Amino acid sequence: MKKFLFEQYGYYPKEIVDNSFSIDGWRFKLLTVEVGEDIVSSINEYTKTLNEAFNNKGPYIIKNRLNNNISTLNNVNYILVCSLEGKMTLNDLIKFYSLFFNSEEFVELDRILEVWKNRVEEIEQKLNSYLRVDSIYYRNNLDIAVFCLGLAINAMQYLSDIIYNYDNKMYGCSIVHKRLTDFSVFDILNPFNFIVEHPLKDICMLYQKEVISFQEFKSFFNYYPLDEKSATFLMARLLYRADIFDCIENKRNLDEGEQQLNFNFEKEFYKIKKAYSFLKESAPSISASISAPQTAIGRRPTAVRTENLPPTSSGTTNVS
């Protein structure tokens, strides 16, 4: 990759890790893309807006020696993106959303529900092939996987409740991130990590990963007030552990040595309960319209009980 990087862009860093390297306080990363030059040109309009808003921290799409945005190696297209190294804050993220917020923009909940359903079903069917049975962490990883599948079933029920009780559209969208697990400048400003969705997607993942505290989590809703519908969507997002499913499906992470999935049952329960208690305190009408589920049962290999989970309005939810 160093040779390709030098031939195409003129950079020859001492070290490249996961196609990423640093030079003079700037972080660079070669990203694989499936878009053409025309799409990249339109993405560049977003980069101009972000640079104006965040004092030229980035992002920048670096053109190659031929003055093209895209370079190709072994039939794979790459783009080199860079930003300043460093961290941003929750206030920066809120400012980021405000740049692209559109109260009339919406995400269709049945599309999210379909994606979640298909992913859960695939993991259920292939779970044994995803995990190493010879690992000392096998039982631990299996229990975590089954537990998170149970949470996902409850999350899907929340989405179904929104569609049934309200409608299929979640308004108030902005540009958010496919994955956001820290406040690094690069991850927040990388334009190839962008999607259009509700900002609750990012906030829930940051809270799940403990990048933001509970107090910061609560403070976010000073800018994005909750109603019954958005509170229900919030609970769906909190219960759906995309990060754990990413690790399960990424066999490389589990095959290198004997890696343990990072999930503390007691702590995760506590975080969810705190979030739900906050909803009850801040908007009593939300909890008044929701009744408690009894259990969610995972069929492999142990029962997953969820009596203490925030409930859905449909009552009992079963893992199937």
Side-chain angles (χ1 to χ4, degrees):
M1 190 56 73
K2 282 187 179 182
K3 180 181 178 183
F4 171 75
L5 188 65
F6 178 75
E7 290 175 347
Q8 294 294 320
Y9 299 96
Y11 294 109
Y12 199 82
K14 293 181 179 180
E15 184 180 36
I16 300 178
V17 179
D18 193 25
N19 285 351
S20 181
F21 60 95
S22 296
I23 297 178
D24 296 334
W26 291 86
R27 180 185 174 191
F28 295 77
K29 187 163 186 174
L30 271 173
L31 304 172
T32 58
V33 294
E34 297 180 355
V35 297
E37 289 283 348
D38 55 335
I39 301 297
V40 177
S41 296
S42 65
I43 290 174
N44 257 324
E45 295 303 311
Y46 291 102
T47 70
K48 294 176 184 177
T49 300
L50 291 168
N51 272 288
E52 291 173 2
F54 294 107
N55 300 318
N56 298 314
K57 290 182 179 180
Y60 296 96
I61 298 175
I62 309 299
K63 291 192 173 184
N64 62 23
R65 292 178 186 268
L66 299 177
N67 203 37
N68 295 324
N69 293 304
I70 298 175
S71 303
T72 303
L73 176 65
N74 299 327
N75 296 319
V76 177
N77 289 336
Y78 290 92
I79 284 182
L80 183 62
V81 178
C82 82
S83 72
L84 271 177
E85 293 185 311
K87 296 288 185 179
M88 301 184 82
T89 66
L90 180 59
N91 286 336
D92 290 327
L93 191 59
I94 291 169
K95 179 180 179 180
F96 174 95
Y97 299 141
S98 70
L99 296 173
F100 308 106
F101 178 79
N102 185 341
S103 61
E104 299 302 314
E105 187 75 51
F106 62 86
V107 59
E108 294 179 335
L109 298 178
D110 60 353
R111 296 182 64 180
I112 298 177
L113 185 60
E114 186 67 19
V115 170
W116 288 5
K117 178 182 177 183
N118 291 339
R119 193 176 197 192
V120 166
E121 288 179 350
E122 182 173 4
I123 291 175
E124 282 188 326
Q125 293 168 5
K126 299 180 179 179
L127 186 56
N128 286 333
S129 65
Y130 285 149
L131 303 180
R132 283 185 54 173
V133 297
D134 62 335
S135 169
I136 60 172
Y137 299 122
Y138 171 72
R139 185 67 194 194
N140 172 80
N141 290 344
L142 184 60
D143 287 346
I144 291 171
V146 171
F147 183 80
C148 289
L149 287 169
L151 292 181
I153 297 300
N154 282 272
M156 290 189 287
Q157 187 62 63
Y158 274 107
L159 289 187
S160 297
D161 288 344
I162 298 173
I163 296 169
Y164 180 80
N165 294 323
Y166 302 98
D167 55 45
N168 187 42
K169 297 176 180 178
M170 195 70 199
Y171 286 91
C173 290
S174 179
I175 290 179
V176 301
H177 302 83
K178 298 174 184 176
R179 292 290 183 269
L180 187 62
T181 57
D182 64 32
F183 275 133
S184 73
V185 174
F186 187 89
D187 285 346
I188 288 178
L189 299 183
N190 170 17
F192 296 95
N193 191 29
F194 293 169
I195 58 172
V196 175
E197 233 249 46
H198 198 283
L200 287 178
K201 179 181 189 296
D202 281 354
I203 295 304
C204 286
M205 181 162 282
L206 291 171
Y207 180 63
Q208 288 171 339
K209 301 296 289 183
E210 299 181 11
V211 178
I212 58 175
S213 67
F214 179 61
Q215 292 303 319
E216 289 174 311
F217 174 78
K218 290 199 301 182
S219 71
F220 177 79
F221 301 105
N222 294 329
Y223 302 91
Y224 287 84
L226 291 167
D227 56 18
E228 282 193 28
K229 184 178 179 181
S230 57
T232 307
F233 184 65
L234 168 68
M235 291 312 306
R237 279 289 179 194
L238 282 176
L239 292 174
Y240 186 81
R241 294 305 300 257
D243 58 325
I244 298 297
F245 294 150
D246 288 345
C247 289
I248 291 170
E249 290 180 326
N250 188 353
K251 294 183 181 181
R252 182 186 64 184
N253 285 345
L254 294 171
D255 287 344
E256 291 177 354
E258 297 181 342
Q259 187 169 339
Q260 183 177 13
L261 290 175
N262 185 19
F263 189 93
N264 183 300
F265 292 91
E266 200 169 301
K267 182 185 289 187
E268 298 301 330
F269 250 149
Y270 181 65
K271 286 193 299 188
I272 294 170
K273 289 174 68 176
K274 281 181 71 175
Y276 186 60
S277 295
F278 160 65
L279 294 182
K280 290 195 295 183
E281 293 171 2
S282 58
S285 61
I286 294 173
S287 59
S289 67
I290 301 175
S291 59
Q294 300 305 309
T295 60
I297 301 173
R299 58 175 184 237
R300 283 189 307 272
T302 58
V304 180
R305 302 188 64 80
T306 60
E307 290 91 336
N308 297 320
L309 280 178
T312 71
S313 59
S314 298
T316 303
T317 303
N318 294 319
V319 177
S320 60

